Amino acid sequence: MKQLPYQCGIDAAIDVVDGKWKVLILWVLNEGARRFGETKRLLPGISEKVLAQQLRELEADGIVHREAYDQVPPKVEYSLTEQGRSLNAALAPLGAWGNERLARLAAEEAPAA
């Protein structure tokens, strides 16, 4: 049996979503197919180079589908695959935990009445 380079399932999952932008790209694409420019506008701070690279990596991992339409001007849309939707569902509890943390931090920062 071939030895995989991962120690556990978390290791394999983190390999797919590693980096600052991939999870945010998944979040943006969760609403449906989006064009490159629209995706970039929804992710302030990401460069075109990084977005293109991250989308290519997510496509190579089977998380994102790239659909190129044969028209002028060229049109390309990105959407989540079934694996991408499944990954987003798996990340939902992490997002809920993050929201709870934000609320707790905000409560700690609020001045006492």
Side-chain angles (χ1 to χ4, degrees), residues 22-108:
K22 286 184 180 176
V23 173
L24 296 175
I25 292 168
L26 290 172
W27 175 73
V28 165
L29 295 179
N30 196 49
E31 298 298 315
R34 301 212 188 262
R35 295 180 72 171
F36 184 88
E38 182 182 12
T39 304
K40 186 176 181 325
R41 277 190 302 279
L42 292 168
L43 296 170
I46 193 169
S47 70
E48 286 189 17
K49 177 184 175 183
V50 169
L51 178 56
Q53 175 188 354
Q54 301 287 281
L55 285 167
R56 276 193 302 273
E57 290 176 12
L58 288 166
E59 183 182 9
D61 286 331
I63 304 301
V64 167
H65 172 71
R66 180 181 186 272
E67 183 74 34
Y69 297 91
D70 188 21
Q71 66 182 50
V72 177
K75 177 181 174 183
V76 177
E77 287 184 339
Y78 297 90
S79 60
L80 294 179
T81 63
E82 185 59 40
Q83 278 191 61
R85 288 187 294 278
S86 172
L87 178 55
N88 253 357
L91 290 169
L94 182 60
W97 181 88
N99 286 333
E100 291 172 9
R101 178 169 168 73
L102 288 173
R104 189 171 49 255
L105 291 173
E108 290 172 3

